[in-house]
């Protein structure tokens, strides 16, 4: 069993970091060290935090070997994004213009269709989920048909607004609902 005896200054520093951090993983790891410092058994620490006792041992060993640096969460390893950031403006134009502007016969984009179009135009093969993360990062939602409003004819937009205003005025005087027929 690993026993931790912290100097009071170090315990206070860890306690302050525990209270101030927003990162849940770091807070749990700091709590493991602080509870072990207070003499709490490892199995009780594990039960309190809802983790396996081996996890308690792992984080105590990490703290003993590397100090606070050993407790800090590391970024998960993974494949780097294969959609270059330089294509963000072009993909945004695709979504706003719609698939028809790109010569496709569909009404709206999907992330999978965007990924396929990216492969056909630039030779960059990517997955639907990677395209979804990319679009989310550049604030584009291809399923929303609101982009049609941006490319509509301004004169027709104004005529539609006037028609709606006329409908609102004619229905304004009614107080009870009437049945058709």
């Amino acid at each position: 069993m690993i026993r931790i005896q912290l100097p009071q200054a170090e315990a206070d520093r860890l306690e302050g970091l525990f209270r101030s951090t927003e990162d849940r993983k770091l807070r749990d790891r700091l709590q493991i060290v602080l509870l072990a410092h207070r003499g709490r058994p490892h199995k009780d620490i594990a039960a309190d935090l809802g983790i396996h006792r081996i996890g308690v041992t792992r984080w105590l060993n990490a703290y003993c070997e590397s100090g606070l640096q050993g407790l800090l969460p590391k970024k998960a390893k993974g494949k780097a994004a294969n959609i270059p950031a330089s294509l963000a403006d072009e993909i945004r134009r695709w979504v706003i213009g719609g698939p028809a502007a790109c010569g496709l016969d569909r009404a709206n984009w999907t992330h999978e269709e965007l990924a396929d179009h990216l492969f056909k135009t630039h030779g960059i093969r990517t997955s639907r989920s990677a395209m979804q993360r990319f679009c989310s990062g550049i604030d584009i939602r291809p399923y929303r048909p609101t982009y049609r409003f941006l490319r509509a004819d301004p004169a027709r937009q104004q005529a539609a607004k006037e028609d709606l205003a006329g409908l609102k005025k004619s229905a304004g005087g009614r107080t009870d609902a009437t049945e058709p027929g």
Side-chain angles (χ1 to χ4, degrees):
M1 182 160 140
I2 302 169
R3 300 209 184 271
I4 302 242
Q5 296 297 323
L6 299 174
Q8 190 57 41
E10 179 69 6
D12 291 342
R13 184 173 77 102
L14 293 179
E15 183 77 32
L17 185 57
F18 171 77
R19 291 181 187 280
S20 66
T21 187
E22 294 290 322
D23 188 351
R24 175 72 188 189
K25 289 180 180 182
L26 179 59
R27 205 168 50 236
D28 285 349
R29 295 168 188 177
L30 289 167
Q31 191 171 19
I32 289 170
V33 173
L34 291 168
L35 289 172
H37 166 69
R38 294 182 186 128
R40 188 139 173 97
H42 293 185
K43 65 179 181 178
D44 292 345
I45 296 172
D48 290 346
L49 297 176
I51 62 173
H52 197 277
R53 63 175 176 73
I54 293 174
V56 173
T57 304
R58 176 185 309 127
W59 294 116
L60 291 175
N61 282 331
Y63 180 76
C64 289
E65 291 172 11
S66 305
L68 181 59
Q69 198 66 26
L71 299 179
L72 295 175
K74 295 172 182 59
K75 185 170 179 351
K77 295 176 184 171
K79 183 179 174 186
N82 58 351
I83 305 173
S86 60
L87 291 177
D89 289 334
E90 183 174 357
I91 292 172
R92 183 177 281 115
R93 281 193 304 274
W94 291 351
V95 173
I96 292 172
C102 295
L104 302 173
D105 61 345
R106 37 185 85 57
N108 293 313
W109 287 106
T110 64
H111 291 111
E112 190 167 357
E113 290 166 341
L114 279 170
D116 185 54
H117 191 65
L118 181 66
F119 176 67
K120 289 176 181 173
T121 57
H122 293 282
I124 299 172
R125 186 177 303 273
T126 190
S127 66
R128 178 205 53 79
S129 58
M131 181 57 77
Q132 183 177 4
R133 285 188 302 273
F134 184 79
C135 287
S136 176
I138 62 171
D139 292 328
I140 287 289
R141 292 180 233 146
Y143 297 107
R144 304 246 177 169
T146 56
Y147 297 112
R148 290 187 201 175
F149 183 76
L150 297 175
R151 62 177 188 254
D153 180 23
R156 291 178 66 192
Q157 286 179 5
Q158 186 60 36
K161 286 179 186 176
E162 291 169 3
D163 288 344
L164 284 174
L167 289 173
K168 289 179 184 177
K169 287 179 185 176
S170 66
R174 281 192 223 152
T175 58
D176 61 329
T178 59
E179 291 186 27

